[in-house]
Amino acid sequence: MKVLIVGGGKPLYFLCRNFTAKGYEVVIINRNKNECVQLARQLRAVVVCGDGSDAQVLKEAGALGADAVLAITPNDQDNLIICQLASLKFGVPRAVALANDPDNAEVFEKLGVSAFSTTHIVGSLIEQRASLEQIINLLPVGEGLVNVTEIVLDAGSPVAGKVLKDIDLPDNALIAVVIRDNQPIVPRGANDLRAGDRLVLITLPENHGTVLKSFTGESR
Amino acid sequence: MKHDRYIVIVGCGRVGSQLANQLSREGNSVVVIDRDEGTFNNLSSDFSGFRVDGDAAHLAVLQDAGLKKAEVLIATTHEDNVNLMVAQVAHRIFRVPHVLARVFDPRREEVYAQLGIKTICPTSVAVGIFLRAVADGPAARQGELS
């Protein structure tokens, strides 16, 4: 897998380190000469110094054979143009832009560019984590469209002692795994839930709150 | 040509401000957007339009400028990418009927033509004029001046 990342700063550094550790071939494009020198020293990646929204620079960085382009500069306009050039001119199958202004995430999608907003993701993460104490883990997947949540049932839970088929779950929610005494069980309708069980839930952001409430009984 | 249109101009530098002054003088309702408030000094005293201080790459700023009811948008900032983004947002999201973007880099022009964005490239325009002047030779040029 060959990935082009345009941007700088810590997000780029750690993203790149993560990718190279997975064995991806990474090319970095950065405008700042000094930062390029630093990055080239610190990372196992090819560093191209230049403007990523310039077709010539993208070409030099090997956009033609790239599997993905990530544009994470602090300027939304640059991120949009980089991704459009990558897909229109170089046929890169996956181009993803960071929307610094959260409103632009939707704008970019409408203009045909996949986008994500860290403000959205971090914001909803903090909200969801802060809202309930029994949540051990929350992981947004599919660009934040799906949540995977781990919770512990306490004795006060309205579902403790119930059989799964008697629990009224909202649409688009699932108890994926029940962990009891360190044994994971993929539950079926006849399985029961007990206090102390750890559940792995699949929810969507829109029903996340309702689903959690039905398990923990908290009215928040 | 109609002279009572709602026109939004992004960028109030030399080009943007001259356009704004002229179009406002002709009787159009003009809104100028620039993220540097100081550039509004380029507007003439008889400019009767509105000034919006903000970054046009932010959706909220374009909404403030009333893009929904705009008939014309001209993007004239010194950053190609800002112009191209604003032009696309105006065209595709706010459905502004007439959108023009200034783009300095001729290589960008072709890609955006594909997206249906009308661009004006000062670089190509200047090159064309120079080439024509050179082709006409010094005699013609002198003739023109005298």
Side-chain angles (χ1 to χ4, degrees):
Chain A
M1 171 117 152
K2 182 175 174 185
V3 185
L4 254 65
I5 315 178
V6 189
K10 286 192 178 140
L12 174 121
Y13 173 78
F14 288 109
L15 206 58
C16 178
R17 213 178 58 169
N18 190 317
F19 285 163
T20 49
K22 284 181 183 158
Y24 296 174
E25 185 189 342
V26 179
V27 181
I28 296 169
I29 305 177
N30 185 296
R31 276 195 224 212
N32 183 305
K33 252 197 181 135
N34 293 334
E35 193 173 353
C36 282
V37 173
Q38 286 293 323
L39 289 167
R41 276 191 198 138
Q42 293 165 337
L43 293 164
R44 270 179 299 140
V46 176
V47 181
V48 175
C49 189
D51 174 359
S53 64
D54 182 333
Q56 198 58 39
V57 173
L58 280 174
K59 195 176 168 194
E60 274 167 37
L64 269 172
D67 298 293
V69 169
L70 292 181
I72 53 167
T73 79
N75 303 315
D76 284 353
Q77 64 271 20
D78 295 346
N79 295 341
L80 173 72
I81 305 302
I82 290 161
C83 288
Q84 288 187 319
L85 275 177
S87 54
L88 285 173
K89 211 169 161 119
F90 298 102
V92 178
R94 194 139 175 70
V96 183
L98 164 67
N100 294 279
D101 172 357
D103 290 346
N104 278 339
E106 201 185 321
V107 170
F108 287 3
E109 297 278 350
K110 280 187 187 157
L111 298 177
V113 168
S114 309
F116 69 96
S117 154
T118 37
T119 319
H120 275 162
I121 296 173
V122 174
S124 67
L125 204 68
I126 290 175
E127 249 172 45
Q128 288 164 353
R129 271 207 190 179
S131 65
L132 294 161
E133 281 164 5
Q134 287 108 319
I135 303 174
I136 306 176
N137 245 319
L138 180 99
L139 181 72
V141 295
E143 283 163 6
L145 290 174
V146 180
N147 292 326
V148 180
T149 315
E150 190 180 334
I151 65 166
V152 178
L153 291 187
D154 59 20
S157 160
V159 294
K162 276 196 181 172
V163 182
L164 227 61
K165 60 176 183 234
D166 294 336
I167 298 170
D168 201 16
L169 265 185
D171 282 344
N172 290 319
L174 177 75
I175 305 171
V177 181
V178 177
I179 302 168
R180 184 178 298 160
D181 306 325
N182 279 329
Q183 279 300 316
I185 312 157
V186 177
R188 295 182 171 273
N191 286 91
D192 65 339
L193 297 178
R194 297 179 203 159
D197 282 352
R198 272 158 63 200
L199 311 184
V200 177
L201 306 173
I202 312 281
T203 61
L204 306 185
E206 50 269 33
N207 65 21
H208 184 77
T210 332
V211 174
L212 285 188
K213 218 169 82 183
S214 63
F215 284 97
T216 61
E218 283 185 31
S219 55
R220 253 187 287 178
Chain B
M1 200 177 90
K2 269 171 72 189
H3 288 311
D4 55 353
R5 294 189 288 184
Y6 190 100
I7 302 176
V8 177
I9 296 174
V10 183
C12 192
R14 283 186 290 260
V15 171
S17 60
Q18 267 195 49
L19 271 171
N21 288 335
Q22 183 64 31
L23 290 167
S24 164
R25 217 169 279 138
E26 286 171 6
N28 300 288
S29 312
V30 180
V31 177
V32 202
I33 307 175
D34 203 298
R35 61 181 170 199
D36 176 7
E37 219 180 340
T39 60
F40 294 138
N41 293 331
N42 293 329
L43 295 168
S44 66
S45 52
D46 61 346
F47 173 76
S48 62
F50 289 97
R51 304 158 171 87
V52 174
D53 173 19
D55 187 342
H58 295 172
L59 196 67
V61 172
L62 294 178
Q63 274 161 348
D64 283 349
L67 223 63
K68 252 185 221 155
K69 40 186 182 156
E71 288 164 82
V72 182
L73 174 127
I74 312 175
T76 72
T77 76
H78 57 269
E79 272 188 70
D80 281 0
N81 293 348
V82 171
N83 295 343
L84 289 170
M85 174 172 163
V86 170
Q88 289 184 72
V89 172
H91 176 61
R92 300 274 296 277
I93 291 169
F94 291 96
R95 304 273 167 212
V96 178
H98 196 177
V99 174
L100 285 165
R102 170 164 76 160
V103 177
F104 289 98
D105 183 353
R107 280 180 312 206
R108 269 167 230 221
E109 239 184 333
E110 18 160 342
V111 178
Y112 287 90
Q114 282 178 34
L115 287 169
I117 300 298
K118 248 187 159 174
T119 53
I120 289 173
C121 177
T123 319
S124 309
V125 172
V127 168
I129 293 172
F130 276 121
L131 284 178
R132 239 175 295 135
V134 169
D136 290 346
R141 186 87 192 118
Q142 266 167 10
E144 228 172 77
L145 286 175
S146 61

